[in-house]
Amino acid sequence: MTRVRKKPTSRVRKTRSSSGKSGNSATVTPGEWFERLVAVQARLRARDGCPWDREQTHESLRTYLIEEAYEVLEALESGNDAKFAEEMGDLLLQIVFHSQIAQEEGRFTVSDVIQEIHDKMIRRHPHVFGETRAKDSAEVLRNWEQIKAEERRSLAGKSQLNAKDESLKEASLLDGVSHGLPATLEGFQLTRKAARIGFDWQDAGGIFEKMREETAELQSALGTKEQRKVEEEFGDLFFAAVNLSRFLKVDPEIALKKANAKFSRRFRAMEKLACESGKEFKNLPRNEMESLWEAAKKSEKETDGAKLHGARAKR
């Protein structure tokens, strides 16, 4: 589904309050702004509100929720604070939007959402709000996982287990990792949770060795011509690489996004270079494509170097 209405520009957002009148944001508290936003979304969903907003459901908004999260990441990396703030607002709107729909269905309200996370943060930080002490962040994470496990056991004890509650019968340390996550992030979180209780490699060297082992197994599987075996071994190699990213303190999803962007940028540069020489890129022989790829890489490095030099000069 494509978006059928454009977002208000940051300029408009900064010069208008939610009521449509100009206002000084410095005199309005965050809580008041939030209440205004909730009121705006309720008005858009009202009987005489916006037809597009009224048509939306939790299901139809799923794409936007993911999209807005990625746009926040992109804005964060841009270094543009105005863009970062704007995209954070778009993401916040998704929470408000879903909460409004849930309220209309009699399920929960945005106040319930806020109270849940407020109480959870207090409960899971006993070293700050209680008597527990934590000597470092590693101990904080271990305590966090223990508290989460206790919460799940409490939930299971209060529930009337039936065929639909199978997931509550046996609590696992891996509970809470959503299957709806992109595969790289799911693998990242699974290994991170396991590591918090000590099931982990001693160092990155062990993972490099595991990747060499998985590479050999993948090459062996290729010889069998069994596609399912090839897929399995490739998955094992990919999983090991995701595990390595955790050791390197690199988010695998963001790293892959950057690699995708770099490939796209260089490929487009190759096409441009071919066009400038009067040739059609798709008809070039492989060796000429490779030459253009190297030229695109060199040009990109020179541009990055010039930008870095300019940034240092400004200091």
Side-chain angles (χ1 to χ4, degrees):
M1 181 175 66
T2 57
R3 197 181 304 232
V4 296
R5 59 187 179 117
K6 295 182 178 179
K7 305 175 190 175
T9 64
S10 57
R11 181 184 62 80
V12 172
R13 292 183 183 192
K14 290 177 182 177
T15 57
R16 295 190 308 179
S17 70
S18 59
S19 63
K21 300 177 181 179
S22 61
N24 185 354
S25 61
T27 65
V28 183
T29 68
E32 290 172 328
W33 274 121
F34 185 78
E35 289 182 359
R36 292 185 185 187
L37 175 61
V38 171
V40 165
Q41 193 55 50
R43 175 69 180 83
L44 291 172
R45 289 277 299 181
R47 189 179 299 277
D48 59 343
C50 172
W52 186 90
D53 284 83
R54 285 177 50 77
E55 290 173 1
Q56 302 314 303
T57 65
H58 291 301
E59 289 71 26
S60 70
L61 290 172
R62 288 179 300 182
T63 299
Y64 300 133
L65 183 59
I66 297 171
E67 176 186 307
E68 298 299 357
Y70 278 113
E71 289 183 1
V72 167
L73 291 177
E74 185 177 352
L76 183 155
E77 294 177 3
S78 74
N80 185 328
D81 287 348
K83 184 65 174 174
F84 190 17
E86 177 187 353
E87 296 300 343
M88 290 278 280
D90 289 343
L91 183 58
L92 176 60
L93 176 62
Q94 292 301 308
I95 305 301
V96 173
F97 207 150
H98 279 282
S99 298
Q100 176 62 32
I101 295 174
Q103 180 175 338
E104 294 166 8
E105 296 172 346
R107 297 165 63 186
F108 58 82
T109 69
V110 71
S111 294
D112 295 324
V113 173
I114 297 171
Q115 182 179 350
E116 281 291 332
I117 188 59
H118 170 274
D119 292 351
K120 180 187 292 185
M121 296 306 288
I122 299 293
R123 190 169 61 247
R124 293 189 181 177
H125 290 83
H127 53 287
V128 176
F129 302 105
E131 301 300 321
T132 303
R133 292 291 174 263
K135 62 181 180 180
D136 53 32
S137 60
E139 189 169 346
V140 169
L141 293 176
R142 283 194 295 271
N143 292 342
W144 180 281
E145 292 301 327
Q146 181 179 350
I147 294 169
K148 285 179 65 175
E150 291 172 355
E151 291 172 352
R152 287 192 292 269
R153 283 193 292 269
S154 176
L155 177 61
K158 294 177 182 178
S159 300
Q160 295 295 321
L161 297 180
N162 54 43
K164 294 183 179 180
D165 295 323
E166 288 295 322
S167 62
L168 295 177
K169 288 184 177 181
E170 295 185 14
S172 168
L173 288 170
L174 299 181
D175 288 347
V177 178
S178 171
H179 296 303
L181 288 171
T184 52
L185 288 184
E186 182 183 10
F188 186 82
Q189 291 199 15
L190 287 171
T191 59
R192 183 170 61 181
K193 280 181 173 287
R196 286 176 181 173
I197 53 93
F199 187 68
D200 202 4
W201 298 92
Q202 290 292 330
D203 52 47
I207 306 181
F208 278 114
E209 181 58 38
K210 182 65 175 175
M211 290 179 68
R212 284 190 284 270
E213 175 188 322
E214 297 296 354
T215 299
E217 292 181 2
L218 175 57
Q219 291 173 324
S220 176
L222 285 171
T224 68
K225 301 188 184 307
E226 295 181 19
Q227 189 58 31
R228 291 182 64 181
K229 184 64 175 175
V230 171
E231 181 183 84
E232 177 185 350
E233 296 301 343
F234 179 79
D236 290 344
L237 176 59
F238 203 6
F239 185 82
V242 169
N243 206 359
L244 177 62
S245 75
R246 180 176 53 81
F247 260 83
L248 303 180
K249 298 183 176 7
V250 171
D251 184 304
E253 191 71 17
I254 293 176
L256 185 55
K257 276 283 186 182
K258 288 183 176 180
N260 292 343
K262 179 165 56 176
F263 176 83
S264 177
R265 191 169 58 245
R266 290 178 178 176
F267 192 90
R268 292 173 190 276
M270 292 164 62
E271 292 177 313
K272 182 179 179 182
L273 288 171
C275 182
E276 290 173 350
S277 64
K279 300 178 181 178
E280 191 168 3
F281 180 74
K282 66 180 182 180
N283 295 328
L284 294 178
R286 176 64 182 273
N287 65 319
E288 288 191 39
M289 289 183 176
E290 291 290 348
S291 296
L292 288 175
W293 176 262
E294 292 302 322
K297 284 175 60 177
K298 181 180 179 181
S299 176
E300 186 175 77
K301 289 179 180 178
E302 290 174 350
T303 301
D304 290 343
K307 288 181 179 178
L308 180 60
H309 180 74
R312 288 174 175 170
K314 289 179 179 179
R315 293 178 186 176

Short mmCIF file of all heavy atoms in Angstrom, two decimals, residues 15-35:
data_model
loop_
_atom_site.label_atom_id
_atom_site.label_comp_id
_atom_site.label_asym_id
_atom_site.label_seq_id
_atom_site.Cartn_x
_atom_site.Cartn_y
_atom_site.Cartn_z
N THR A 15 5.83 25.86 13.10
CA THR A 15 5.16 27.16 13.18
C THR A 15 3.70 27.05 13.58
O THR A 15 3.02 28.05 13.71
CB THR A 15 5.25 27.88 11.83
OG1 THR A 15 4.67 27.05 10.81
CG2 THR A 15 6.69 28.19 11.48
N ARG A 16 3.22 25.80 13.76
CA ARG A 16 1.83 25.65 14.15
C ARG A 16 1.73 24.72 15.35
O ARG A 16 2.45 23.75 15.47
CB ARG A 16 1.01 25.02 13.01
CG ARG A 16 0.92 25.88 11.78
CD ARG A 16 -0.10 25.29 10.84
NE ARG A 16 0.19 23.87 10.59
CZ ARG A 16 -0.58 23.11 9.79
NH1 ARG A 16 -1.63 23.62 9.21
NH2 ARG A 16 -0.27 21.85 9.60
N SER A 17 0.83 25.01 16.24
CA SER A 17 0.54 24.08 17.32
C SER A 17 -0.47 23.08 16.80
O SER A 17 -0.97 23.19 15.70
CB SER A 17 -0.05 24.83 18.52
OG SER A 17 -1.36 25.29 18.21
N SER A 18 -0.82 22.07 17.59
CA SER A 18 -1.75 21.05 17.14
C SER A 18 -3.13 21.60 16.89
O SER A 18 -3.94 20.99 16.21
CB SER A 18 -1.82 19.92 18.18
OG SER A 18 -2.25 20.43 19.42
N SER A 19 -3.46 22.73 17.43
CA SER A 19 -4.78 23.32 17.21
C SER A 19 -4.82 24.14 15.93
O SER A 19 -5.85 24.65 15.54
CB SER A 19 -5.15 24.22 18.40
OG SER A 19 -4.25 25.30 18.49
N GLY A 20 -3.63 24.28 15.27
CA GLY A 20 -3.58 25.04 14.03
C GLY A 20 -3.20 26.48 14.26
O GLY A 20 -3.04 27.25 13.33
N LYS A 21 -3.05 26.88 15.55
CA LYS A 21 -2.68 28.26 15.86
C LYS A 21 -1.20 28.32 16.20
O LYS A 21 -0.63 27.38 16.72
CB LYS A 21 -3.51 28.77 17.04
CG LYS A 21 -5.01 28.75 16.77
CD LYS A 21 -5.77 29.19 18.01
CE LYS A 21 -7.28 29.15 17.78
NZ LYS A 21 -8.03 29.54 18.98
N SER A 22 -0.60 29.47 15.91
CA SER A 22 0.82 29.61 16.21
C SER A 22 1.00 29.62 17.72
O SER A 22 0.15 30.04 18.48
CB SER A 22 1.36 30.92 15.61
OG SER A 22 0.68 32.03 16.16
N GLY A 23 2.15 29.10 18.16
CA GLY A 23 2.41 29.06 19.59
C GLY A 23 3.87 28.92 19.88
O GLY A 23 4.65 28.50 19.03
N ASN A 24 4.27 29.28 21.07
CA ASN A 24 5.66 29.17 21.48
C ASN A 24 5.85 27.85 22.20
O ASN A 24 5.34 27.65 23.30
CB ASN A 24 6.01 30.35 22.41
CG ASN A 24 7.48 30.34 22.77
OD1 ASN A 24 8.21 29.41 22.42
ND2 ASN A 24 7.90 31.37 23.48
N SER A 25 6.59 26.93 21.56
CA SER A 25 6.75 25.60 22.14
C SER A 25 7.47 25.63 23.47
O SER A 25 7.32 24.73 24.28
CB SER A 25 7.50 24.69 21.15
OG SER A 25 8.79 25.22 20.90
N ALA A 26 8.24 26.68 23.72
CA ALA A 26 9.00 26.77 24.97
C ALA A 26 8.07 26.92 26.18
O ALA A 26 8.45 26.61 27.31
CB ALA A 26 9.98 27.92 24.91
N THR A 27 6.86 27.41 25.96
CA THR A 27 5.94 27.62 27.07
C THR A 27 4.99 26.45 27.27
O THR A 27 4.16 26.47 28.18
CB THR A 27 5.09 28.89 26.82
OG1 THR A 27 4.26 28.67 25.66
CG2 THR A 27 5.98 30.10 26.60
N VAL A 28 5.11 25.43 26.43
CA VAL A 28 4.24 24.26 26.51
C VAL A 28 5.07 23.07 26.97
O VAL A 28 6.14 22.80 26.43
CB VAL A 28 3.59 23.95 25.15
CG1 VAL A 28 2.64 22.76 25.27
CG2 VAL A 28 2.86 25.17 24.62
N THR A 29 4.59 22.35 27.98
CA THR A 29 5.33 21.21 28.51
C THR A 29 5.22 20.01 27.56
O THR A 29 4.27 19.93 26.77
CB THR A 29 4.79 20.80 29.89
OG1 THR A 29 3.46 20.25 29.72
CG2 THR A 29 4.75 21.97 30.84
N PRO A 30 6.15 19.07 27.67
CA PRO A 30 6.06 17.86 26.85
C PRO A 30 4.73 17.13 27.04
O PRO A 30 4.16 16.62 26.08
CB PRO A 30 7.25 17.01 27.33
CG PRO A 30 8.25 18.02 27.81
CD PRO A 30 7.42 19.10 28.44
N GLY A 31 4.27 17.09 28.29
CA GLY A 31 3.00 16.42 28.57
C GLY A 31 1.84 17.09 27.85
O GLY A 31 0.95 16.41 27.32
N GLU A 32 1.85 18.42 27.82
CA GLU A 32 0.77 19.15 27.14
C GLU A 32 0.83 18.92 25.64
O GLU A 32 -0.22 18.74 24.99
CB GLU A 32 0.88 20.64 27.47
CG GLU A 32 0.53 20.97 28.91
CD GLU A 32 0.83 22.42 29.27
OE1 GLU A 32 1.80 22.98 28.70
OE2 GLU A 32 0.11 22.98 30.11
N TRP A 33 2.05 18.91 25.08
CA TRP A 33 2.17 18.64 23.65
C TRP A 33 1.67 17.23 23.34
O TRP A 33 1.02 17.01 22.31
CB TRP A 33 3.63 18.78 23.21
CG TRP A 33 4.05 20.17 22.84
CD1 TRP A 33 5.04 20.90 23.41
CD2 TRP A 33 3.48 21.00 21.82
NE1 TRP A 33 5.13 22.14 22.82
CE2 TRP A 33 4.18 22.22 21.84
CE3 TRP A 33 2.44 20.83 20.90
CZ2 TRP A 33 3.90 23.26 20.97
CZ3 TRP A 33 2.15 21.87 20.03
CH2 TRP A 33 2.87 23.07 20.06
N PHE A 34 1.98 16.28 24.22
CA PHE A 34 1.55 14.91 23.98
C PHE A 34 0.02 14.82 24.00
O PHE A 34 -0.59 14.17 23.14
CB PHE A 34 2.14 13.97 25.03
CG PHE A 34 1.83 12.52 24.77
CD1 PHE A 34 2.54 11.81 23.81
CD2 PHE A 34 0.83 11.87 25.47
CE1 PHE A 34 2.25 10.48 23.55
CE2 PHE A 34 0.53 10.54 25.22
CZ PHE A 34 1.25 9.84 24.26
N GLU A 35 -0.60 15.50 24.96
CA GLU A 35 -2.07 15.49 25.04
C GLU A 35 -2.67 16.13 23.78
O GLU A 35 -3.71 15.67 23.28
CB GLU A 35 -2.53 16.23 26.29
CG GLU A 35 -2.24 15.47 27.58
CD GLU A 35 -2.76 16.19 28.81
OE1 GLU A 35 -3.32 17.29 28.65
OE2 GLU A 35 -2.60 15.66 29.92
#
